[in-house]
């Protein structure tokens, strides 16, 4: 390259075509009116999607939502480590008795029962808890 000035070289046909395109897209030397700009924009704006593809997309939306819900509810829980989650154990009869005695103790305290009644209820509770520990 010669820094002193531009060199005259012959341009290839593709370079000539590129030069013409750049000239066509360059800013005009004269100011452009707003009517000309509006006309250019109207010709440049094209619909992004045809109407039929929008209709198909809207038609498929419920099926896509149903597939997502099915995946979340059915497929995803099946794919977790293959182990079932432990179920909470069912309360045994002894647990019901223990709960009943706990309520009786609470009621005795709320009613202001005497110490003999409260200590008897606590003894019954201790007997039940001793039976539960194996």
């Amino acid at each position: 390259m010669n820094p002193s000035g531009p060199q005259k070289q012959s341009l290839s046909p593709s370079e000539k075509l590129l030069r013409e395109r750049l000239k066509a897209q360059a800013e005009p030397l004269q100011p452009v009116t707003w009517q000309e700009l509006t006309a250019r924009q109207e010709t440049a704006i094209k619909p992004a999607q045809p109407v039929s593809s929008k209709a198909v997309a809207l038609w498929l939306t419920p099926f896509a939502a149903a597939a997502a819900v099915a995946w979340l509810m059915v497929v995803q829980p099946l794919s977790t480590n293959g182990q079932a989650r432990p179920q909470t154990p069912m309360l045994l009869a002894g647990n019901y008795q223990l709960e009943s005695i706990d309520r009786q103790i609470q009621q005795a305290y709320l009613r202001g029962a005497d110490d003999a009644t409260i200590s008897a209820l606590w003894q019954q509770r201790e007997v039940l808890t001793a039976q539960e520990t194996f």
Side-chain angles (χ1 to χ4, degrees):
M1 267 183 116
N2 186 359
S4 62
Q7 297 177 354
K8 291 284 183 174
Q9 295 180 356
S10 63
L11 298 175
S12 69
S14 60
E15 289 174 330
K16 289 178 184 177
L17 181 62
L18 180 61
R19 175 182 264 174
E20 293 301 319
R21 284 186 184 172
L22 288 174
K23 283 182 182 179
Q25 291 179 355
E27 292 290 324
L29 297 175
Q30 299 175 4
V32 180
T33 63
W34 66 272
Q35 291 93 351
E36 291 173 346
L37 283 176
T38 325
R40 287 182 189 174
Q41 288 175 351
E42 287 175 359
T43 57
I45 296 175
K46 296 179 182 177
Q49 291 181 343
V51 177
S52 64
S53 66
K54 287 182 182 179
V56 170
L58 290 176
W59 185 74
L60 290 176
T61 302
F63 295 107
V69 169
W71 181 78
L72 287 172
M73 301 302 261
V74 177
V75 176
Q76 190 177 17
L78 293 177
S79 64
T80 57
N81 358 359
Q83 297 176 355
R85 294 182 182 150
Q87 298 291 328
T88 56
M90 192 171 134
L91 292 177
L92 302 174
N95 293 12
Y96 293 125
Q97 291 174 353
L98 184 62
E99 186 178 334
S100 173
I101 287 180
D102 284 342
R103 283 191 199 141
Q104 289 176 9
I105 292 172
Q106 288 174 357
Q107 289 299 319
Y109 278 117
L110 291 174
R111 285 180 292 158
D114 59 343
D115 290 336
T117 307
I118 292 175
S119 63
L121 290 171
W122 277 109
Q123 286 176 357
Q124 288 178 4
R125 187 180 194 288
E126 288 176 13
V127 168
L128 282 176
T129 55
Q131 290 174 356
E132 287 183 8
T133 56
F134 299 129

